[in-house]
Amino acid sequence: MKISTTCSRCSIEAYEQQSLNINIEGHVSIEENDLYFFRCSKGHVNLLEIQAFKFELLYESGLCAIKSDYYLESVLSLTASVERFYEFFIKIVLSSEKIEKSIIEKMYKEMSRQSERQIGAFLALYVMAFKEPPSILNQKAVEFRNSVVHKGYFPTKEEVLRYAKDVFELIQKLYVILRKKFETEIGEQISLEQQERREKNKDKIEENNVNITLLAPPFALSHILELSAFEKKTFEESFDLVMSQDFYH
């Protein structure tokens, strides 16, 4: 997935000059780098930070893959999004119990080798936190996912859209519940991940002597949205937005 970028310095200059001639620089490929350096045609160095959790990025990547007619790749991204949401959920609930980050990371390292362990931990922690069993993917969606991921089945667009909707509605429902009870912990996780990104890229930041530009795209599962708006959002609205704009490539 690629995201359109704009030179922050050119944007400031255009604003000061009351000009609409803003320097659009093409696209940045989403990678594991977390922070994205690019230089515009005028030579300005930019450092872009995307405000999104990994499961949000993976889900959006799945929608973009559908837009590009990469249906098998879409299923892989959407499936990874669910797994990373489980990981996110586990870490948020454990952090609410004041368990140190290093202990959580060590525990999850052992668990991450098998998705069944992650689902088991998610189920147990959900029941502990909310005193009832959680929603999970329906059996038909699970069977479809397994056919694609483990058997190499090539899905149709209609099948992938149905799976994307199932994943969206699952994560949306669970995320709303999580945000209502653990908003503070989620905010702390945002700050922690931001701090880790900047620490990891400290040398590049100092070397380029550039301010960080924060980008908060209108992702389908974005935490940037107000809770009430997020709760009312539909899959169809999110998918139509991806299909209708040139922000993603």
Side-chain angles (χ1 to χ4, degrees):
M1 180 174 72
K2 295 183 178 181
I3 293 179
S4 298
T5 61
T6 302
C7 175
S8 59
R9 187 168 169 184
C10 288
S11 298
I12 293 172
E13 291 177 355
Y15 174 78
E16 291 174 344
Q17 298 167 11
Q18 297 184 342
S19 170
L20 296 177
N21 187 25
I22 299 176
N23 195 13
I24 303 297
E25 285 307 311
H27 314 100
V28 170
S29 295
I30 301 302
E31 301 171 350
E32 289 288 338
N33 295 332
D34 300 324
L35 292 179
Y36 304 91
F37 289 83
F38 65 96
R39 189 185 301 271
C40 80
S41 58
K42 293 183 179 180
H44 303 148
V45 175
N46 290 261
L47 176 56
L48 182 69
E49 179 177 1
I50 299 174
Q51 293 183 292
F53 292 119
K54 195 163 189 178
F55 72 88
E56 297 172 14
L57 285 167
L58 284 164
Y59 187 83
E60 207 71 15
S61 178
L63 295 187
C64 290
I66 298 175
K67 180 179 181 179
S68 301
D69 298 329
Y70 296 131
Y71 304 137
L72 188 150
E73 290 80 0
S74 174
V75 173
L76 297 179
S77 291
L78 296 169
T79 299
S81 177
V82 176
E83 293 177 352
R84 295 291 67 77
F85 178 78
Y86 289 155
E87 176 184 1
F88 174 77
F89 183 98
I90 291 167
K91 291 180 177 179
I92 291 298
V93 175
L94 289 177
S95 66
S96 74
E97 297 295 322
K98 308 305 178 186
I99 299 174
E100 293 183 9
K101 177 180 177 295
S102 59
I103 295 176
I104 296 175
E105 294 293 343
K106 184 176 181 180
M107 179 275 299
Y108 203 84
K109 184 177 180 181
E110 293 299 319
M111 186 190 306
S112 63
R113 295 186 178 92
Q114 292 183 344
S115 59
E116 291 82 0
R117 293 178 180 178
Q118 298 172 46
I119 296 173
F122 161 72
L123 292 171
L125 286 173
Y126 187 98
V127 171
M128 183 193 77
F130 299 103
K131 314 306 180 189
E132 62 181 11
S135 299
I136 56 176
L137 280 177
N138 62 69
Q139 189 59 34
K140 188 172 183 179
V142 171
E143 291 174 357
F144 169 73
R145 175 200 67 195
N146 291 343
S147 294
V148 175
V149 175
H150 301 302
K151 299 180 181 179
Y153 172 72
F154 285 98
T156 65
K157 182 177 181 178
E158 290 70 25
E159 289 173 321
V160 177
L161 284 172
R162 185 163 54 247
Y163 182 65
K165 183 175 182 179
D166 287 340
V167 170
F168 174 86
E169 292 178 347
L170 173 68
I171 295 180
Q172 181 190 42
K173 182 176 181 178
L174 294 172
Y175 201 12
V176 166
I177 293 170
L178 192 69
R179 287 180 61 175
K180 286 180 177 178
K181 185 167 184 176
F182 297 110
E183 194 71 47
T184 298
E185 288 78 10
I186 292 173
E188 292 172 351
Q189 185 66 25
I190 293 170
S191 299
L192 176 62
E193 292 189 9
Q194 184 179 77
Q195 179 182 346
E196 290 177 342
R197 280 193 292 268
R198 299 185 182 197
E199 185 63 30
K200 187 170 68 173
N201 292 276
K202 183 178 179 180
D203 292 342
K204 284 186 177 181
I205 295 172
E206 293 178 351
E207 177 186 344
N208 289 280
N209 189 29
V210 61
N211 292 327
I212 296 174
T213 300
L214 297 178
L215 180 63
F219 288 155
L221 295 170
S222 177
H223 65 272
I224 299 299
L225 280 176
E226 290 289 337
L227 183 57
S228 58
F230 180 80
E231 195 168 5
K232 295 176 183 176
K233 199 171 186 180
T234 68
F235 167 75
E236 289 76 15
E237 290 170 349
S238 300
F239 184 68
D240 288 346
L241 185 62
V242 170
M243 293 295 291
S244 64
Q245 61 183 1
D246 295 327
F247 185 76
Y248 307 110
H249 294 267

